[in-house]
Amino acid sequence: MLSLQGGDLLFINENLGIMGVEILISVLSLTAITMMLYMHRLHKKTRRNMLLLTAALLTFMYIYDHGERFEKHGFYNLLVLMLIYVPLNLAISLLYVLFITIPNFAVIFLVAIAIVLCSATIMLRHYMDIFGKGTFDRMHNISGECAWQGNNYPLVDLLPSGTQNFWAGGMHCKPETAFIWASFDNAGILHVNCTSDSIFVDVLPETRHWPLEDKSKWQVFNHRVLDRMVRKRYNGPMQVDSQIHTKAMYIGEIFPKRHNPLPIWAYYRDRGYVTARVETSCEDWTRTYAAKYYKSHSYSVGERSLDYELSAPFCMPEFYPASGNSFGNFKGPFSITARCLYGRHVHEYGFDYIDQLREELRSGLVMNSTDRPYMLMLNLMEGHEGTGEVLRTLDIRLSAFLADMRDSGELEDTALFLLSDHGLHMGLNFAFLNSGQIEHKNPFFAMVLPQWLRTDLGHMAEQGLLANEQRLTTPLETHYTLKTLADWPVYDHGDFEKSLFAPVKAGRTCADANIGASFCMCK
């Protein structure tokens, strides 16, 4: 009961240790009850009643709170409890059976434990070494600079792949049994090759021009998409219309003081860029994180700031539940299961859309774009779940995307950003280990710049980038980096000095950067 106290992310951060201990005590207590029932000679009726009482208590706890959000997180707690309790008790049961059936099993067990501990120690030291070096061995422990506090033991990395959610099913999407070949030609005409005479086409609405009030993610945006979807019978070729941390990075302020603060992509569009954004979670970023700063929710930020927007497909009920909690553990954009839509991972549709836009914009097929630069954004949610296993489903498609960017030569004239708004803030690692806290407070960030731009930036700016790799930076510096690139080569020197191109203060602390204690890695 005590572990069910809830609030926002800040509250959870400040009380996570206590909640974790309370869940652990619950597991040990339940394990003690189980062992007592089966190791003592109790009457069958007594044992049965105790089991029924235990099941009734768990059922009561589920009914009392089966929420899956920070404010109410009973179902999540129950999953954590069972994730520890079930393997622990299976292991105890197996050891007990082996102990009474195999002579000298205790000696064999102790030798096995010693071997496992030695192997785990070697592997752990290897993972610690990798963690400490950072991506491409670029992390250096420089005296006086911000560094994480406490020991970093990434124990979760010792677990085999799939351990934390093996019971949730495989990470592969079940292929569609009925295959239909369909394509658009250059004139936007849809062609379908199928022998069936009962083909229907669901035409999803274009969401870019929708006002903020239509894009709330709490069972509003998805229902607007479904309500405005048009189903048409296919009778032949047919014309179809085919059109806390992120606030700092996208707007330049954590708590905007001006009304109607436009995101950074509006800044790019105003400077002649073609802008596009793909949200793979049936969500509009501005509506979710900045709507309260707009005087009227009838205002369309998308129409003002974007040329292309792709959100509607990810509101389909096959992926995004049309009723109940859309952000649960077993379906939706936060699920611990494979995130599929019509036989493919949802992220594949996002990458396909971005790839097609890249091809058409560079070839000049759309918007007379041959001489126009573009800013394309793809928001992926595979890292937003507690087991850390769903993220692996991105590996193949992300690798293919990066390889294509390299092989096509686009990295010679394109700045590429790969980043996360925060580290993992769910799961066993986050709840029980210091390494989880370290990861949460160190979101991934990588930036690839073309050689000509690095040359234009000059020695001082390149030294600034190298220095900032080892210093405490924030999304605010990223915001001004994006602004500087949007204005390049005639940029604002004030923006440049606040960007990642200029070295931040040596020995910068969280207090200097206005980072709260609960999110500071170098207290």
Side-chain angles (χ1 to χ4, degrees):
M1 291 288 287
L2 293 174
S3 69
L4 294 176
Q5 55 184 329
D8 56 15
L9 178 58
L10 179 61
F11 177 87
I12 296 297
N13 260 336
E14 293 175 343
N15 295 275
L16 187 64
I18 297 174
M19 294 180 188
V21 170
E22 289 165 349
I23 294 175
L24 191 59
I25 291 174
S26 300
V27 172
L28 296 177
S29 300
L30 187 57
T31 299
I33 293 173
T34 305
M35 292 178 64
M36 180 187 70
L37 290 176
Y38 284 93
M39 296 185 70
H40 290 75
R41 295 181 177 178
L42 299 175
H43 191 276
K44 287 185 178 181
K45 185 176 180 180
T46 302
R47 181 179 296 173
R48 183 178 66 248
N49 290 337
M50 288 292 291
L51 286 172
L52 290 174
L53 178 61
T54 302
L57 286 173
L58 291 175
T59 303
F60 167 75
M61 293 298 294
Y62 175 80
I63 295 173
Y64 176 77
D65 182 355
H66 52 273
E68 298 173 86
R69 298 175 60 188
F70 284 133
E71 295 81 3
K72 291 185 179 293
H73 46 88
F75 190 54
Y76 184 74
N77 276 22
L78 182 61
L79 284 178
V80 173
L81 183 143
M82 299 307 292
L83 186 62
I84 302 174
Y85 169 79
V86 172
L88 175 63
N89 282 268
L90 287 177
I92 292 174
S93 301
L94 178 61
L95 290 174
Y96 178 73
V97 172
L98 294 174
F99 181 78
I100 62 177
T101 56
I102 299 178
N104 301 317
F105 176 74
V107 176
I108 299 173
F109 177 70
L110 291 175
V111 172
I113 286 293
I115 294 173
V116 169
L117 288 176
C118 289
S119 301
T121 300
I122 294 172
M123 293 174 63
L124 186 60
R125 291 184 66 86
H126 171 67
Y127 290 134
M128 291 171 63
D129 184 56
I130 293 175
F131 203 112
K133 290 180 179 179
T135 306
F136 300 122
D137 298 338
R138 299 296 287 267
M139 184 183 294
H140 308 292
N141 188 13
I142 299 177
S143 178
E145 295 296 346
C146 181
W148 64 64
Q149 300 300 300
N151 296 318
N152 175 31
Y153 299 117
L155 296 172
V156 172
D157 290 343
L158 298 176
L159 298 175
S161 175
T163 298
Q164 294 192 68
N165 69 345
F166 69 94
W167 41 272
M171 288 292 107
H172 299 286
C173 296
K174 184 179 179 180
E176 290 287 301
T177 55
F179 180 77
I180 299 175
W181 180 89
S183 66
F184 287 96
D185 61 22
N186 290 336
I189 304 298
L190 174 66
H191 299 266
V192 177
N193 183 8
C194 183
T195 57
S196 173
D197 59 356
S198 58
I199 298 297
F200 292 89
V201 178
D202 289 335
V203 182
L204 295 173
E206 183 183 359
T207 60
R208 181 178 64 89
H209 64 278
W210 287 9
L212 292 171
E213 60 192 3
D214 284 347
K215 289 188 170 183
S216 174
K217 68 179 182 180
W218 303 115
Q219 293 295 351
V220 174
F221 190 16
N222 62 320
H223 283 280
R224 294 288 189 274
V225 169
L226 297 177
D227 292 344
R228 297 170 188 177
M229 180 176 69
V230 178
R231 172 161 291 188
K232 299 181 178 180
R233 180 183 289 275
Y234 181 82
N235 296 312
M238 59 188 294
Q239 180 75 46
V240 179
D241 185 7
S242 57
Q243 290 292 328
I244 301 192
H245 293 95
T246 50
K247 279 195 287 186
M249 179 170 61
Y250 291 156
I251 296 179
E253 299 176 279
I254 298 176
F255 304 105
K257 300 179 180 63
R258 61 190 188 280
H259 291 296
N260 299 356
L262 291 173
I264 189 66
W265 44 93
Y267 192 83
Y268 272 74
R269 195 184 192 207
D270 289 345
R271 281 147 186 81
Y273 281 72
V274 177
T275 57
R277 185 169 178 85
V278 178
E279 294 277 4
T280 60
S281 58
C282 187
E283 179 181 35
D284 179 81
W285 182 88
T286 309
R287 174 61 183 84
T288 302
Y289 298 103
K292 66 181 181 180
Y293 303 108
Y294 285 79
K295 291 182 178 180
S296 171
H297 285 186
S298 62
Y299 182 67
S300 175
V301 180
E303 189 169 33
R304 167 65 179 81
S305 60
L306 291 171
D307 295 300
Y308 299 93
E309 176 180 273
L310 185 69
S311 294
F314 310 108
C315 299
M316 300 298 287
E318 287 77 8
F319 165 63
Y320 191 98
S323 61
N325 180 19
S326 300
F327 301 90
N329 286 299
F330 296 101
K331 190 173 182 180
F334 293 176
S335 69
I336 63 177
T337 60
R339 301 176 186 178
C340 303
L341 181 62
Y342 299 123
R344 303 178 70 202
H345 288 109
V346 292
H347 64 255
E348 295 184 66
Y349 296 99
F351 277 113
D352 287 352
Y353 188 82
I354 291 294
D355 287 345
Q356 183 176 345
L357 266 181
R358 286 165 50 211
E359 179 182 352
E360 295 189 359
L361 288 169
R362 296 180 78 86
S363 63
L365 293 177
V366 294
M367 300 186 69
N368 299 318
S369 56
T370 305
D371 299 322
R372 290 184 65 188
Y374 52 79
M375 182 191 197
L376 310 182
M377 295 158 285
L378 173 58
N379 184 35
L380 303 166
M381 297 298 291
E382 276 72 7
H384 205 293
E385 54 91 25
T387 69
E389 304 287 355
V390 178
L391 191 60
R392 301 176 190 272
T393 64
L394 267 177
D395 289 351
I396 295 175
R397 193 60 180 85
L398 177 58
S399 177
F401 171 77
L402 295 175
D404 186 55
M405 289 284 292
R406 177 199 62 202
D407 298 340
S408 67
E410 286 180 69
L411 290 181
E412 296 176 8
D413 63 7
T414 303
L416 176 66
F417 289 71
L418 291 173
L419 52 92
S420 172
D421 57 345
H422 56 73
L424 192 65
H425 61 202
M426 294 180 285
L428 299 178
N429 193 33
F430 176 62
F432 296 109
L433 300 175
N434 189 51
S435 63
Q437 293 295 310
I438 291 171
E439 183 179 334
H440 171 57
K441 298 166 185 176
N442 284 270
F444 180 81
F445 181 92
M447 179 171 61
V448 182
L449 299 178
Q451 184 58 50
W452 69 265
L453 179 59
R454 295 173 62 180
T455 301
D456 284 359
L457 284 168
H459 176 73
M460 292 300 294
E462 187 155 345
Q463 289 302 308
L465 290 171
L466 292 174
N468 289 337
E469 282 187 336
Q470 314 303 327
R471 296 177 182 175
L472 179 64
T473 60
T474 73
L476 288 171
E477 283 79 53
T478 307
H479 174 80
Y480 288 106
T481 303
L482 291 170
K483 286 190 69 177
T484 299
L485 291 175
D487 291 326
W488 194 269
V490 187
Y491 55 83
D492 182 278
H493 286 277
D495 291 341
F496 184 91
E497 290 301 316
K498 290 184 284 186
S499 75
L500 291 169
F501 298 130
V504 302
K505 172 187 173 184
R508 190 186 198 188
T509 66
C510 290
D512 295 332
N514 293 318
I515 299 174
S518 294
F519 300 101
C520 178
M521 74 170 190
C522 49
K523 299 176 184 177

